[in-house]
Amino acid sequence: MKRKLEISELIFKILSYTFLTVFALCCLYPFVYAVSAALSGRHAVEYGQIVLFPKNIQFEAFARMFNNNMFWNAYTNTLFLALFGTIWSMLTSILGAYALSKKRLLFRKFFNFFLVFTMWFSAGLVPQYLNYIATGKVFEAIGIMDDKWLVVIAMGMAAMNIILLRNAFEGVPSEIEEAAIVDGATEFQVLSKVYIPMSKSTIATVALFFAISRWNGYFWARQMISNSNEHPLQVFIRLRLEEFQDPDFITGWNEVYATDSAIYALIVCSIIPILIIYPFIQKYFAKGVNMGGVKE
């Protein structure tokens, strides 16, 4: 019996590792292809000769992007939205989750139900758009003319992330909070000195969720930001893609690299910051989701 269990366990491990390896390669291949297409010559890209490695290597596509002031302007706008959007979202989410985690909160069950209800049913795109338009008019009335702030503030809430933080806060032993209160700690000191340090894995995970959402945000940034100088990187990439599909634009295109190479160069450049940040937060990821997603 023991030998049969060892053999079955070995087979399971082989199949699991084989499946995970194939799955990882499938996830990695699009990025490798994008890099190869960005570095390959025009003929190789247009005739579909790129499979894995680049052919007729050239760097003109990247050079054109790096010399484009609009590209760096869009990059700056994306950094602005990701940085301030994440800070604002984390501030509202932590405060909201902390309040909802307290059993002494008046109408706590109603507020928790209302939060979850927004995940089941939503008003729809049109009411949400009208709500953002009304918010934009309020910003204009108080002198805030920058549409980027509208995107930052209007997109500052996510019910799922608040629930993850709330569950993590509920997992903090109440005895520690009581000891802090006995020592004279205020409500904000309890939050900053007890709850946040003891839930840093979940907080780091939720911050990563918000940062990626802001970095990859396209739809509402396209709808709400009218000034082309304030467009983030994703909108900039989409507009360039539409531009490259114009026959008049293709006619006078560069002979060295294909239009697709320029798009892939943009995509690769937009992914690099996330690839740099993710390894530093990865160690918190699984632990943070488990702490916030499971409630005892």
Side-chain angles (χ1 to χ4, degrees):
M1 179 65 70
K2 183 177 180 181
R3 182 175 178 81
K4 289 182 179 179
L5 289 175
E6 290 178 352
I7 294 175
S8 62
E9 184 178 355
L10 178 62
I11 295 174
F12 174 77
K13 287 183 177 180
I14 293 174
L15 293 176
S16 299
Y17 284 118
T18 302
F19 173 77
L20 291 175
T21 301
V22 173
F23 181 75
L25 291 175
C26 291
C27 294
L28 183 61
Y29 178 74
F31 177 74
V32 175
Y33 178 84
V35 175
S36 298
L39 293 173
S40 298
R42 179 174 182 176
H43 184 272
V45 175
E46 291 184 347
Y47 287 89
Q49 298 177 358
I50 308 301
V51 178
L52 184 62
F53 299 106
K55 295 183 178 181
N56 304 324
I57 295 178
Q58 50 76 35
F59 296 94
E60 282 78 4
F62 284 99
R64 173 165 179 154
M65 294 303 105
F66 293 152
N67 293 327
N68 189 333
N69 292 330
M70 291 295 294
F71 166 75
W72 291 111
N73 186 56
Y75 225 109
T76 303
N77 292 332
T78 303
L79 288 172
F80 176 93
L81 293 175
L83 177 61
F84 290 100
T86 302
I87 293 174
W88 169 250
S89 297
M90 290 302 299
L91 177 63
T92 57
S93 298
I94 288 175
L95 294 177
Y98 178 72
L100 292 174
S101 67
K102 298 302 177 184
K103 295 181 179 180
R104 64 179 182 272
L105 177 67
L106 193 62
F107 304 120
R108 176 175 179 266
K109 290 185 178 180
F110 169 77
F111 289 129
N112 278 303
F113 171 79
F114 192 77
L115 179 67
V116 176
F117 184 83
T118 61
M119 298 173 59
W120 299 335
F121 303 98
S122 62
L125 288 178
V126 174
Q128 191 172 359
Y129 176 76
L130 295 176
N131 185 31
Y132 291 161
I133 291 295
T135 305
K137 292 180 179 179
V138 173
F139 280 15
E140 291 180 3
I142 61 178
I144 301 177
M145 304 301 294
D146 194 339
D147 290 336
K148 295 197 299 292
W149 282 111
L150 174 59
V151 176
V152 167
I153 296 177
M155 305 296 294
M157 300 291 288
M160 184 61 192
N161 291 337
I162 294 177
I163 292 174
L164 288 174
L165 289 171
R166 183 202 66 189
N167 291 346
F169 290 160
E170 288 179 347
V172 175
S174 59
E175 292 80 7
I176 300 178
E177 179 185 1
E178 293 171 358
I181 294 175
V182 169
D183 290 338
T186 63
E187 203 72 54
F188 282 102
Q189 287 176 330
V190 171
L191 173 62
S192 60
K193 302 296 184 181
V194 176
Y195 280 84
I196 291 179
M198 297 190 69
S199 307
K200 62 181 182 180
S201 296
T202 305
I203 290 175
T205 303
V206 171
L208 178 64
F209 289 162
F210 278 125
I212 293 177
S213 175
R214 300 298 178 272
W215 188 270
N216 293 330
Y218 164 76
F219 180 77
W220 288 113
R222 178 87 182 258
Q223 299 298 322
M224 304 307 301
I225 300 178
S226 56
N227 188 350
S228 59
N229 292 325
E230 297 180 0
H231 282 160
L233 192 59
Q234 304 304 327
V235 177
F236 177 80
I237 292 175
R238 178 59 188 176
L239 293 177
R240 296 293 78 76
L241 180 60
E242 295 174 356
E243 182 181 77
F244 292 160
Q245 291 175 344
D246 186 355
D248 295 333
F249 184 84
I250 298 296
T251 302
W253 186 243
N254 192 295
E255 294 293 334
V256 179
Y257 59 95
T259 57
D260 288 346
S261 296
I263 291 296
Y264 283 122
L266 276 170
I267 294 173
V268 171
C269 292
S270 68
I271 295 174
I272 289 176
I274 300 298
L275 293 179
I276 295 174
I277 294 174
Y278 186 79
F280 296 99
I281 305 180
Q282 183 182 10
K283 61 182 179 181
Y284 299 111
F285 190 79
K287 183 179 179 182
V289 173
N290 288 335
M291 289 179 60
V294 179
K295 181 180 178 182
E296 296 182 358

